[in-house]
């Protein structure tokens, strides 16, 4: 069985960074359709970026008959309480956005920001989000940090500690999660080194 390797993707805006990790994570979800729970977490620094990427993810899932209706993704960004406004199911151009639906039936792919992931790990009312992962500690395989360059200084320290708490809560052994980082602006010229 192939073990995914830690990956850093640096290339310009709209040049295919998302596709570099999108197809491997969808493949992992497809190969593990029989296992329920969160298989992939994608962390975004801004909700607008998460919302935009959620649409692309929904379109990729909807457009593939092998995973349409089988692989799910949820957008967990601090909104999603109004059942009429936030979808409870996957659609052609949207992921699950209703917070209660996400917690009650955890998606295969969780799109979130670091603050909401922190809440999900710490707050009792979000405990059910992790039930399947607590039973199947090998399930979570990918952690994608989009726009990696924004996680520096104090925020970088917070995110590093958040990842440690995630691993502790889910009893994830060292080396299990494949980290993937993306950046359009990590540096150029002499700064890129």
């Amino acid at each position: 069985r192939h073990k995914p390797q830690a990956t850093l993707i640096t290339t310009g805006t709209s040049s295919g960074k998302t596709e570099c990790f999108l197809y491997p994570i969808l493949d992992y979800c497809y190969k593990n359709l029989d296992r329920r729970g969160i298989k992939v977490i994608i962390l975004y620094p801004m909700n607008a970026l998460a919302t935009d990427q959620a649409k692309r993810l929904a379109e990729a899932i909807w457009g593939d008959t092998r995973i349409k209706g089988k692989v799910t993704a949820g957008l967990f960004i601090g909104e999603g309480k109004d059942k009429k406004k936030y979808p409870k199911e996957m659609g052609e151009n949207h992921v699950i956005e209703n917070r209660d639906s996400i917690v009650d039936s955890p998606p295969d792919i969780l799109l979130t920001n670091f603050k909401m992931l922190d809440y999900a790990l710490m707050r009792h009312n979000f405990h059910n989000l992790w039930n399947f992962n607590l039973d199947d500690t090998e399930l979570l395989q990918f952690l994608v940090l989009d726009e990696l360059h924004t996680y520096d200084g104090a925020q970088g320290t917070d995110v590093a500690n958040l990842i440690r708490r995630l691993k502790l809560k889910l009893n994830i052994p060292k080396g299990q999660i494949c980290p993937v980082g993306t950046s359009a602006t990590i540096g150029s010229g002499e700064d890129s080194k």
Side-chain angles (χ1 to χ4, degrees), residues 7-14 16-22 40-54 56 110-114 143-152 155 159 163 179-186:
T7 304
L8 180 61
I9 304 160
T10 61
T11 184
T13 303
S14 299
K17 288 183 298 299
T18 300
E19 287 74 13
C20 290
F21 67 81
L22 179 65
V40 177
I41 296 174
I42 307 176
L43 278 176
Y44 294 96
M46 296 175 295
N47 288 350
L49 186 56
T51 302
D52 181 57
Q53 294 298 328
R56 289 179 66 191
L110 185 70
L111 296 90
T112 190
N113 58 52
F114 75 95
L143 178 63
V144 179
L145 291 106
D146 200 34
E147 295 303 335
L148 184 65
H149 68 277
T150 62
Y151 299 108
D152 62 359
Q155 187 176 15
V159 173
I163 294 167
V180 177
T182 71
S183 179
T185 57
I186 206 158

Side-chain angles (χ1 to χ4, degrees), residues 28-115:
Y28 173 69
C29 292
Y30 173 71
K31 288 177 178 172
N32 290 277
L33 287 174
D34 59 325
R35 298 165 74 190
R36 292 189 63 197
I38 298 171
K39 299 168 180 70
V40 177
I41 296 174
I42 307 176
L43 278 176
Y44 294 96
M46 296 175 295
N47 288 350
L49 186 56
T51 302
D52 181 57
Q53 294 298 328
K55 181 179 186 294
R56 289 179 66 191
L57 181 58
E59 290 167 348
I61 292 170
W62 191 268
D64 189 326
T65 56
R66 294 168 295 184
I67 58 175
K68 179 181 174 182
K70 297 173 188 165
V71 171
T72 57
L75 182 62
F76 192 73
I77 58 170
E79 300 172 349
K81 292 180 185 173
D82 182 350
K83 291 181 173 147
K84 293 177 184 152
K85 186 176 177 188
Y86 298 101
K88 294 172 78 172
E89 298 176 349
M90 294 281 300
E92 183 176 1
N93 58 9
H94 64 82
V95 299
I96 302 162
E97 294 181 42
N98 179 269
R99 187 184 301 171
D100 292 337
S101 297
I102 292 169
V103 172
D104 293 341
S105 184
D108 299 297
I109 303 167
L110 185 70
L111 296 90
T112 190
N113 58 52
F114 75 95
K115 187 49 79 181

